[in-house]
Amino acid sequence: MNLQHEPDVAFGVHPNLGVAAAVADDRPSLEEGLRKYHFRYSQDLDIYLLPDDTPHNTAVRTVARATRDFQDAGFSVAADPRIMLPPPIPTADGVPAREPVPGQSLTALTSQLHGLRRSADIAEILEQILDQHQGAVGDLEEFIDTAAAWCERLDTPNGRELSLRLRTIAHHVAFLGDQLVDARLDLAVMPEVTPEDAPPLAEMPLPKRHDFLPAAHTARARAAVSSSPHCPADVSPAARASAQPQATAPSSRRTR
């Protein structure tokens, strides 16, 4: 990358080693800033590298946060846009791999809604979410299906049960996609335009979401006491003792 003005820090992608960073000079503040985000210097390559097992999303967030910190400190930063390109999803032999494309941020699309005035414009946003190749709905369904396959691979009763639950959730996501398609078609044919004197979208009250806290709390509590391949259940001796039936006759006194 040849720039007229060399940046203080440049982020890029090494073909074999993942996300990398280079600095214009050996100022300690630059190296300290990179080490804060777990970049380590490679003397052979004269660049800084993230650990080779860093997940893609983690690497993207790391570059974004490091860039913001460097810019706030007055340094100039350049970043290769290919950092945003996700790795391909592994596939079985004979199955064509899906070409990786830069993901679309739902946050960015939600922000975009605030500047739109026509119903047809909203329909175009929904079309991006429903896109077969890079839409959020399809990606979510594929993620849940893959998580279900992971659980099924455990080959345990709990794993198979959770796999079925996840596949049911994936069906719900697919149903949600069908409902969004209907909504997009309705928006596409609506001639309505937002009135000029309409209040800003940010000032409109959003519908209250249902409170799922009790169910979520129950699920977390169940997960906390269940075993997993990486964290087998191991009840302490004191807990096992308290769980044993008492040999003495039960007392008639109420206990809390």
Side-chain angles (χ1 to χ4, degrees), residues 106-119 121-122 125 187 194-207:
L106 278 177
T107 302
L109 293 178
T110 302
S111 176
Q112 192 174 340
L113 292 178
H114 289 255
L116 302 180
R117 305 195 65 82
R118 301 184 305 123
S119 302
D121 296 333
I122 309 298
I125 296 292
L187 283 164
T194 307
E196 292 293 340
D197 59 348
L201 186 57
E203 297 180 4
M204 295 294 292
L206 298 179

Side-chain angles (χ1 to χ4, degrees), residues 159-177:
R160 287 188 287 270
E161 178 186 358
L162 187 52
S163 176
L164 289 175
R165 286 171 54 195
L166 286 169
R167 294 193 190 282
T168 300
I169 294 172
H171 284 301
H172 286 307
V173 173
F175 176 75
L176 171 64

Side-chain angles (χ1 to χ4, degrees), residues 205-209:
L206 298 179
K208 291 184 178 179
R209 295 183 176 91

